Every structure is written in structure tokens, then in C-alpha cells.
Amino acid sequence: MPSKTFNITIDTQAFNQMTTKQKQIITAAIDLFAEKGYANTSTKEIAAKAGVAEGNIFSTFKNKRGLLAAIINPVQRAIFPTTNQGAGAVSPAPYESLHEFMTDFCRDRLAFLQANRQVIKIFVAEIIYNDKLRQSLIKDFPASNRCWLQMAASLDQLKAQKLLVNWDNIKILKTIWSVMGGSALGYLFFDQPIKTTTLAQNVDTATRLLTYH
Amino acid sequence: MPSKTFNITIDTQAFNQMTTKQKQIITAAIDLFAEKGYANTSTKEIAAKAGVAEGNIFSTFKNKRGLLAAIINPVQRAIFPTTNQGAGAVSPAPYESLHEFMTDFCRDRLAFLQANRQVIKIFVAEIIYNDKLRQSLIKDFPASNRCWLQMAASLDQLKAQKLLVNWDNIKILKTIWSVMGGSALGYLFFDQPIKTTTLAQNVDTATRLLTYH
DNA sequence: GGAAATTGATTGAGTGCTCACTCAAAATAT
DNA sequence: ATATTTTGAGTGAGCACTCAATCAATTTCC
């Protein structure tokens, strides 16, 4: 069931245009970075797992950081797209209830998380000690991008119908995230599966917190 | 204003018994690990910052991991104490409302967070890729320790008075954490101060979610 | 069509460097 | 004088990264 509004995915164009060997390197690096961390993985290990000579990594990605960037950049672009393609054409999908919106939003985010678990784990871990990444994250949250505008439009519509508390959208987003965040971190770092019942509970909780009163 | 029930602090006994040089090493290591991460900090750097010869680190802490353990273990013990001293003498403090309990609990946790920001940051970052630490965390959550028993007793008392939803205590604790967690992570990793208004909002949110209905 | 030449991708031993860690010697305390 | 602590140059290992040699594919010429 596709989302009415969101459908954020990681752009695979760059990856698809790579040669077989380059894909093997990326895939092996993702496995190892997600399992042991960037700093604890050697390029020799990556090359061995990819079935490729070590030098190949450097002729393709320049250095180890370049390889990390090739993995992380698509994640960052998916979360904070900088190109505002179609930014003018925001047509909020007509949600008929807050609960419907919340289900749609949370399902989409969960699908994104599950489809890209490893790279998101690498991304989140990298944020902790990577100043540049962290700064751009703070700066771009939330950026004036298509996704955000679309969401804001939907929220404003719900507010107008008195189906949603009249808070500013950032506070609403933070509230949703604080409800979902625990499950997300448990899934990312503690291998705890997110059951559909848990998701439904989170949706209910968020809905309850944000219902107009 | 001290907490009625909790007052969890990090045990400084081991630290206080150390020599001046050992304290200097620990302090320097905490600064550097919190800023750049364990894997990105060299023992040479730590020694220089501590104003001590590099060899001193190894004669005192055996190896680099030993130094990390000396920093992290007190945090782990503070969060999951294994000694059940006074476990039998649980006398739940008489909270008169869920809101009072929540304020007390959240204030105490926040004070703990603010008093030990750096070491908690190191601890949390280490959990991500340290299997042993992660496993013991899952296993010990929540351990049958004094803190947990006391909290459970308070919760049960509130349930009996129909001031609290009749969920099991772990679910209640997870709910509180998921509300507080966002602020905590923002404080730890994004240097976002937790304003008293934010704390109050979190307390209100958690109270609202957990009020008997 | 096939041999030769050209080009670009791929290789992995080699390089310099930094790392955690050692240990004999020096400094300090007893 | 003896015992203990502190020192920092030294060590082997492992790291990211290089580069000349090798291989494979394509083009050129007869």
C-alpha cells in the first residue's frame, strides 16, 4: 500500500550506474560498516569481502572517506533533499482524519527504515562524531523541500478542520518522532523487530497526543 | 530539590581513590573520547593532554580497553546496579499524583544526565558497536535492583489508586523513555540544552499518556 | 579475418606512517 | 641503599594509500 503523500526513498541511480566491482565494494562496505563501524573496518577487509583488489577501492572512491561518502550521501539526500523539484506543486492529499495521516506517515517512515536499515545505522552512528554532518543536519532540519512542504500542507489542513492541535509544525513533528524514535532505535541498534502491533500502538499514541483538545 | 525515591548517581569511590596522575589520565580520556570518540583517539594524545608519560596509561589500566572500561563501568553500574543493597527495604514514597511521580522521576533522570553528560555520551556511543555491552544492557533491563524495585512499588501504588494506566511496568517505563529520549539525545549529541519548559512539557506529555482511562 | 597496437581497468606487493604496547633506564620515594 | 613509580624511545603490527606491472577489451592496420 503506497503512501498518499510521502514515499521517500533512497536514490539508487548512482549505484545502478556503477560497474559490478564497484557495486561489490559498496555492498561489502555497507555490511562491514554496519556490523563493526567505520573506524573498526579496514580497507583490506572490505576488498577481501568484495572479492576485489584493495587498490580498486582507491581508484574508484579516492580514499576511505570517499567510500563512506558514497554510502552516506544518498541517505542524507533522501532525508533532506536539496533539489526542490516540484516544490511549487504541493497539493496536500486530503486526509480525512488525524489517525489516517499518522498511519500513512508512520508506515512510510517505517518502510524507509526497514528498506535501508544498514545505511541508516551507518549514517546515525557517523553523526555522533562527524561535526560537518551534524551541523548540516541541524541546519537542514526541516529544510524547505518537497517532502516537508507537503507534510506541512497536510498538517495545516488538519488544523483548519480542528482535527489536530494548533501547535507549530516542528513541535508536531518532534512529538511524532519522540513516540516513534524508541522503536526506531531499538530496531536499528538492538535488532528488535518492530511488530505491526507496536507500530499501531505508536500511531495511536501519537494520534492521542496530537488530537485537538 | 532531592528526589523522593531515586537519586541515582555514579559511584565516585574508585575515582577518588586514584592517584593524581591516574585522575589526570581518566579526565583527559573522558574529554577526548566524548569529543572525538574512542576509536579516533590515540593513547599518545591522552597522555599529552593528561601531562603524563604514555607508559603510565598501560601500567595503570593495562591497555586502552581497560581505560575505556574504567570510564564506562561506573556508568553501567549506575544505570544497572548489580548489588542489591537494601533491596528488601523497599518503602515506596507516597506519591500523591501521577504528575508528581513523573516530575520527580524525570527531574532525577535529567539531573543524572546533566551531571554525567560526557561519560554517558561515551557509553551510548560505545553501545552501538560493542556487542558485549549491548547484550548485558538488554539482559539487565530492567534488573531486579533497588532502583527498579522502588520504582515498581511506586508505580503499583499509583495503579492501585487508579491514578495510572494498568499496563505492565516495563511498558510504562518505555513510554516515559520514548517521550524523554528525544530531548536526551538532542542534549547528548546535538548540544541542545534542555530547557525547564521542555522538561515540563515532556512530563506533561508522559503524564497524559499514562493517566488512567 | 587476424595480428599488432592502444587504451583503460585491475592488481597486490610495497611504502611510509601511526598505532597500541613494552621495557630498560631514570627519577623519586622510602 | 632499596623499592617503587615514572619515563619515553623503541617495536612489531596494521593501517590507508601508491604505483609499476599485468590483464582485458577495443581499435587500427594489413
Side-chain angles (χ1 to χ4, degrees):
Chain A
M1 182 185 342
S3 161
K4 263 189 182 178
T5 316
F6 306 106
N7 285 315
I8 299 299
T9 52
I10 285 186
D11 184 21
T12 55
Q13 199 182 352
F15 182 80
N16 290 336
Q17 283 173 357
M18 287 179 183
T19 65
T20 310
K21 300 220 167 188
Q22 288 171 338
K23 284 181 188 171
Q24 285 170 336
I25 293 170
I26 289 271
T27 305
I30 288 173
D31 278 354
L32 290 168
F33 289 167
E35 188 197 333
K36 321 195 316 165
Y38 172 77
N40 305 316
T41 305
S42 70
T43 49
K44 196 176 181 181
E45 249 178 314
I46 297 167
K49 179 149 192 166
V52 152
E54 203 179 347
N56 216 312
I57 294 175
F58 296 96
S59 57
T60 308
F61 301 100
K62 196 179 176 191
N63 51 34
K64 198 186 169 191
R65 263 169 295 114
L67 174 56
L68 180 66
I71 293 170
I72 275 183
N73 285 347
V75 183
Q76 190 170 14
R77 272 196 292 273
I79 301 177
F80 306 107
T82 48
T83 55
N84 285 4
Q85 295 165 347
V90 172
S91 54
Y95 288 108
E96 283 171 22
S97 69
L98 179 60
H99 193 270
E100 192 204 350
F101 167 85
M102 207 64 80
T103 305
D104 198 38
F105 181 79
C106 292
R107 270 223 196 94
D108 178 70
R109 271 17 261 225
L110 180 63
F112 177 74
L113 195 71
Q114 287 177 330
N116 305 285
R117 182 176 179 238
Q118 284 184 309
V119 287
I120 293 173
K121 183 177 175 181
I122 295 168
F123 182 79
V124 171
E126 197 58 21
I127 284 171
I128 297 178
Y129 293 119
N130 187 326
D131 275 341
K132 278 188 184 173
L133 199 60
R134 204 167 59 243
Q135 288 307 320
S136 74
L137 208 85
I138 293 170
K139 191 169 61 62
D140 295 343
F141 178 83
S144 61
N145 57 52
R146 200 187 107 269
C147 171
W148 170 254
L149 289 174
Q150 221 153 40
M151 176 174 168
S154 293
L155 291 178
D156 290 340
Q157 204 180 49
L158 287 167
K159 282 182 205 168
Q161 292 176 265
K162 301 222 179 231
L163 296 172
L164 173 64
V165 283
N166 200 24
W167 298 347
D168 70 83
N169 290 334
I170 291 178
K171 188 179 172 185
I172 291 172
L173 194 60
K174 280 190 178 176
T175 303
I176 299 173
W177 266 117
S178 73
V179 174
M180 293 284 295
S183 300
L185 291 177
Y187 174 69
L188 279 180
F189 297 110
F190 291 89
D191 302 307
Q192 292 173 349
I194 302 179
K195 299 174 194 163
T196 49
T197 53
T198 308
L199 177 66
Q201 276 174 20
N202 285 344
V203 168
D204 286 347
T205 301
T207 306
R208 198 138 63 81
L209 282 173
L210 295 171
T211 297
Y212 183 84
H213 54 268
Chain B
M1 182 184 341
S3 160
K4 264 190 184 179
T5 316
F6 306 106
N7 286 313
I8 298 298
T9 52
I10 286 187
D11 184 20
T12 55
Q13 198 183 354
F15 183 81
N16 290 334
Q17 283 174 357
M18 286 179 185
T19 65
T20 310
K21 299 217 168 186
Q22 288 171 336
K23 284 181 189 171
Q24 285 170 337
I25 293 170
I26 289 271
T27 305
I30 288 173
D31 279 353
L32 290 168
F33 288 168
E35 188 196 333
K36 322 195 315 165
Y38 171 77
N40 305 316
T41 304
S42 70
T43 49
K44 196 177 182 178
E45 250 178 313
I46 297 166
K49 179 148 191 168
V52 153
E54 203 180 348
N56 217 312
I57 294 174
F58 296 95
S59 56
T60 308
F61 301 100
K62 195 179 175 189
N63 52 34
K64 197 185 169 190
R65 265 169 294 114
L67 174 57
L68 179 67
I71 293 169
I72 276 183
N73 285 347
V75 183
Q76 191 171 14
R77 272 196 292 272
I79 301 176
F80 306 107
T82 48
T83 54
N84 284 4
Q85 296 164 347
V90 173
S91 53
Y95 289 107
E96 283 171 21
S97 70
L98 179 59
H99 192 271
E100 191 204 348
F101 168 85
M102 209 64 80
T103 306
D104 197 38
F105 182 79
C106 292
R107 272 224 195 93
D108 178 70
R109 270 20 258 219
L110 180 64
F112 178 73
L113 196 71
Q114 288 177 329
N116 305 285
R117 182 175 179 237
Q118 285 184 307
V119 287
I120 293 172
K121 184 176 175 181
I122 296 168
F123 182 79
V124 171
E126 195 58 21
I127 284 170
I128 296 177
Y129 292 119
N130 187 326
D131 275 342
K132 279 189 183 173
L133 199 61
R134 203 167 60 243
Q135 289 307 320
S136 73
L137 209 84
I138 294 170
K139 190 169 62 65
D140 294 343
F141 177 84
S144 61
N145 56 53
R146 201 186 105 271
C147 171
W148 169 255
L149 289 174
Q150 220 153 41
M151 176 174 167
S154 293
L155 292 177
D156 290 340
Q157 204 180 50
L158 287 166
K159 283 182 204 167
Q161 293 176 266
K162 302 220 178 233
L163 296 172
L164 173 65
V165 285
N166 199 25
W167 299 347
D168 70 82
N169 291 332
I170 290 179
K171 189 179 172 186
I172 291 173
L173 194 60
K174 280 189 178 175
T175 303
I176 298 174
W177 266 117
S178 72
V179 174
M180 292 284 295
S183 301
L185 291 177
Y187 173 70
L188 279 181
F189 296 110
F190 292 89
D191 302 307
Q192 291 174 349
I194 302 178
K195 299 175 195 163
T196 50
T197 53
T198 309
L199 177 67
Q201 276 174 20
N202 285 344
V203 167
D204 285 348
T205 301
T207 305
R208 197 139 64 82
L209 282 173
L210 295 171
T211 296
Y212 184 83
H213 55 269

